[in-house]
Amino acid sequence: MSVTVARDVTEAVKVPRALFLPWPMGHHFGVPFHRDLQRRVILAALKLLEESAEPGTIRTIRDLPIKWADVRREAKSMLTIQGQRL
Amino acid sequence: MTAADKTPAPAADPREAGTQLRPGLWQTINERYPGSMIRKESFVSQASLSKPLAESRLTLISSCGVHCKTDPPLDVCHPFGDFRFKRVPSSSKQRELIIHQLKYPHDDADLDLNVIFPIERLQELHMERRIGSLTPNFFSFIGYNMDPERFERTVAADIADAVVQQEHADCALLAPA
């Protein structure tokens, strides 16, 4: 069960199941300190692990309606509270 | 003909379409990583969970290059890559771990490791009994390797053996940084 931000590579290497998120490299599970978002990604991946019957299934953002711009904004506010900058 | 007729239809948002910006760029991963044993016509294997997730043992494998601060880092400068992997105790605290990798931006992961190696989130899900158990060790390596055949024969095979024979995992979550 893979969580990927590179769909074309994942299609090519033929993993059994993958959750594709069109997010920047290094941000597979979201943004810093956004615990809820990180959990949602993991749980979506684990749900696919339990449900997927077709080898090579790649589930996309359409099944996990989260916009990167929104989570980025939420991350900035979280870091601002901590006195850090994103 | 009205002005509206001349307006080209907006291109499908690749995020909505579920594609990336350059679909069809490669016919096979072998074009990007010559030497890989994976071919376009290769069979996609899949094993199903034999028991519910709440009773299963899960491991985490990532090419993010994280390791314990007490361990020496992998070689991030070797032109062909480092064909070794690191075991990361699944009970580790974030402050005990560090990322050594040059091939992807990990500024945000340095702030919160869970964005690429969600060890604390998995510990929480295990405590909540959503996941049956975690393997004693998770696995990490450096994704930059210029010899895919050697990589598959060493790192990939060794991790697969360790996951099955030593850690007795039922399933694995992969995070290919």
Side-chain angles (χ1 to χ4, degrees):
Chain A
M1 175 63 234
S2 178
V3 174
T4 177
V5 296
R7 183 187 174 101
D8 44 4
V9 177
T10 300
E11 284 176 349
V13 299
K14 298 178 178 295
V15 295
R17 315 165 183 83
L19 175 66
F20 166 62
L21 300 160
W23 295 350
M25 286 179 71
H27 296 77
H28 294 45
F29 298 90
V31 288
F33 310 116
H34 202 318
R35 179 177 296 191
D36 176 60
L37 175 63
Q38 295 165 2
R39 282 176 60 98
R40 285 181 67 188
V41 174
I42 295 171
L43 290 172
L46 296 179
K47 186 178 179 190
L48 178 60
L49 171 64
E50 291 183 304
E51 294 178 349
S52 170
E54 183 73 21
T57 297
I58 299 181
R59 194 166 280 181
T60 71
I61 193 71
R62 283 173 292 183
D63 304 298
L64 190 72
I66 304 169
K67 290 186 176 178
W68 177 252
D70 293 337
V71 298
R72 188 76 175 169
R73 193 178 309 115
E74 291 169 12
K76 280 186 177 179
S77 64
M78 290 177 183
L79 290 173
T80 302
I81 293 170
Q82 298 183 18
Q84 301 184 64
R85 295 186 66 183
L86 190 63
Chain B
M1 180 177 286
T2 65
D5 294 331
K6 295 177 182 176
T7 306
D13 187 332
R15 294 168 299 181
E16 296 296 329
T19 62
Q20 287 197 289
L21 298 180
R22 295 182 292 177
L25 183 63
W26 304 313
Q27 291 299 307
T28 163
I29 200 68
N30 216 43
E31 295 171 22
R32 180 169 180 178
Y33 301 108
S36 169
M37 290 184 276
I38 301 169
R39 295 290 184 272
K40 187 179 181 183
E41 61 276 10
S42 295
F43 174 71
V44 183
S45 59
Q46 174 167 284
S48 300
L49 275 178
S50 57
K51 47 191 171 184
L53 189 61
E55 299 173 15
S56 299
R57 175 176 288 200
L58 182 137
T59 195
L60 173 62
I61 305 170
S62 177
S63 56
C64 68
V66 69
H67 62 91
C68 294
K69 289 179 178 175
T70 52
D71 286 348
L74 296 168
D75 186 350
V76 296
C77 298
H78 195 286
F80 294 142
D82 191 326
F83 295 86
R84 296 175 295 171
F85 66 89
K86 292 287 185 183
R87 287 180 172 82
V88 178
S90 60
S91 58
S92 299
K93 304 295 182 190
Q94 189 171 173
R95 64 176 180 276
E96 298 169 341
L97 306 174
I98 190 169
I99 291 175
H100 269 101
Q101 239 278 36
L102 301 176
K103 302 301 181 185
Y104 73 95
H106 53 82
D107 305 53
D108 284 352
D110 291 340
L111 292 174
D112 180 4
L113 182 63
N114 295 288
V115 301
I116 187 63
F117 196 76
I119 187 168
E120 291 181 331
R121 297 296 86 80
L122 291 177
Q123 290 168 354
E124 292 165 3
L125 291 171
H126 167 49
M127 295 300 292
E128 297 168 15
R129 302 183 187 278
R130 305 284 288 268
I131 299 171
S133 62
L134 303 176
T135 54
N137 293 295
F138 292 158
F139 298 86
S140 173
F141 57 94
I142 290 178
Y144 172 82
N145 299 94
M146 296 305 291
D147 186 344
E149 189 277 334
R150 181 182 173 194
F151 179 83
E152 291 175 20
R153 183 165 36 82
T154 56
V155 180
D158 291 345
I159 290 179
D161 286 345
V163 164
V164 174
Q165 296 171 9
Q166 298 168 18
E167 308 286 337
H168 304 291
D170 297 307
C171 52
L173 180 62
L174 312 181

